[in-house]
Amino acid sequence: MQYAHPQLNRHGELHHLLSIEGLPRDVLLHIMDTAQGFVSFGDRDVKKVPLLRGKSVFNLFFENSTRTRTTFEIAAKRLSADIFNLDIQRSSTAKGESLLDTIANLEAMDADIFVVRHSESGAPFLIARHTPDHVHVVNAGDGRHAHPTQGLLDMMTIRHYKPAFTALTVAIVGDIVHSRVARSAIHALTTLGVPEVRAVGPKTLVPGDLRSMGVRICHDISEGLRGADVVMMLRLQNERMAGGLLPSASEFNMMYGLTAERLRLARDDAIVMHPGPINRGVEIDSAVADGPQSVILPQVRFGIAVRMAVLSIVANNAA
Ligand code: CP
């Protein structure tokens, strides 16, 4: 697709969802408001609508996933689409077929939407640049870069518990440097007008350039948590650590792990979020993850509604 904007069509509507960065506030709110209409679907006897009947959605997960892949599949099925999960380990990728050749072959099978998770930052953008106008690409997480549907489900969760974005203090804690979740959340929070976003963690895991986005950097956990309305914990991404960034997981837990005692520094009604999967006893203690302020499982549920919204919006916007 060769429009001036990598994600929007000539009418300013969402054509691909590649990143929250660069999306106008009204587009974010349109996705969230559409998702709100899908939130109650899980409680219905018949959980289906025909919005994507006849459309083919391909889940291409080149990295592991439990929540994102499954909730995209549930979302596509609830919209009556046909969903195909390519088993990457058993696909011809393992024989050396290139990403773009794989995409071209799936297009020949009449793909309408590609949902892509890849370890390389930018892979979904590359695919979007090489697909015809009637095909849509949704980024399900690329390298350290972006995880836009996670960012959107995080905003849905925050809005549910704390409706006034413009009055919030949000603390994002932990391994920020490797986190596409943090990057997408920061773009969404600033676009929605959150006045104080804090990035909390050791110097090795918090990139200093976040200051240019208006983010307050706190290397002291107490300073980072004090008075926060929302505490977003991040997974320590051992698989992306080159080495030397951390002395040990137990030392990280001692300095930055969210314990019940530390959580008392935040507001009494603060919510605790985590994108999953959790390293219990490393970035978050079980007493907090399973405690009364945790909204970790509601986040997962909002993920279905957000993914239904994104799939239905891109598929129903004309090229
Ligand atoms: N939050 C998230 O992306 O989880 P998965 O890796 O299980 O999809």
Side-chain angles (χ1 to χ4, degrees), residues 94-110:
K95 300 181 207 165
E97 187 168 50
S98 76
L99 179 61
L100 290 180
D101 280 341
T102 302
I103 293 295
N105 280 269
L106 298 176
E107 278 169 11
M109 301 174 203
D110 302 318

Side-chain angles (χ1 to χ4, degrees), residues 82-210:
D82 296 316
I83 171 103
F84 304 93
N85 288 294
L86 193 68
D87 182 348
I88 300 296
Q89 304 297 333
R90 291 169 184 268
S91 76
S92 290
T93 298
K95 300 181 207 165
E97 187 168 50
S98 76
L99 179 61
L100 290 180
D101 280 341
T102 302
I103 293 295
N105 280 269
L106 298 176
E107 278 169 11
M109 301 174 203
D110 302 318
D112 294 294
I113 302 177
F114 292 117
V115 176
V116 182
R117 171 169 288 190
H118 205 285
S119 58
E120 291 296 324
S121 297
F125 284 76
L126 178 74
I127 296 170
R129 278 202 302 276
H130 288 84
T131 49
D133 284 355
H134 67 275
V135 173
H136 308 273
V137 180
V138 179
N139 183 358
D142 62 325
R144 302 177 180 193
H145 174 244
H147 193 347
T149 56
Q150 179 72 42
L152 285 159
L153 75 86
D154 288 342
M155 296 310 110
M156 290 290 290
T157 309
I158 292 173
R159 187 169 72 168
H160 179 77
Y161 294 97
K162 308 275 174 194
F165 281 110
T166 54
L168 291 182
T169 295
V170 178
I172 304 176
V173 185
D175 184 358
I176 293 169
V177 75
H178 297 112
S179 179
R180 56 197 178 204
V181 172
R183 233 170 298 285
S184 288
I186 289 167
H187 284 297
L189 291 165
T190 51
T191 303
L192 293 171
V194 171
E196 176 138 344
V197 180
R198 300 175 186 164
V200 187
K203 282 194 174 119
T204 48
L205 297 183
V206 179
D209 64 0
L210 292 178

Side-chain angles (χ1 to χ4, degrees), residues 2-56:
Q2 298 300 328
Y3 300 134
H5 194 288
Q7 308 188 77
L8 305 180
N9 67 16
R10 61 177 68 91
H11 310 293
E13 301 162 332
L14 196 70
H15 186 79
H16 303 297
L17 178 63
L18 306 174
S19 172
I20 289 180
E21 186 177 7
L23 283 188
R25 183 172 177 274
D26 62 334
V27 171
L28 287 192
L29 289 175
H30 176 54
I31 300 169
M32 292 169 65
D33 292 343
T34 305
Q36 196 60 50
F38 291 127
V39 165
S40 62
F41 260 60
D43 301 324
R44 293 189 183 179
D45 286 342
V46 178
K47 298 177 173 57
K48 270 188 186 290
V49 281
L51 286 171
L52 261 66
R53 192 162 54 197
K55 301 285 186 190
S56 295

Side-chain angles (χ1 to χ4, degrees), residues 203-218:
K203 282 194 174 119
T204 48
L205 297 183
V206 179
D209 64 0
L210 292 178
R211 284 196 187 89
S212 66
M213 297 171 65
V215 173
R216 176 175 158 193
I217 292 179
C218 304

Side-chain angles (χ1 to χ4, degrees), residues 61 64-70 117 140 147 150 153 180-181 235 274-277 307:
F61 279 67
N64 293 346
S65 168
T66 295
R67 283 147 288 270
T68 313
R69 176 175 156 149
T70 310
R117 171 169 288 190
H147 193 347
Q150 179 72 42
L153 75 86
R180 56 197 178 204
V181 172
R235 183 173 70 87
H274 192 302
R307 286 159 184 142

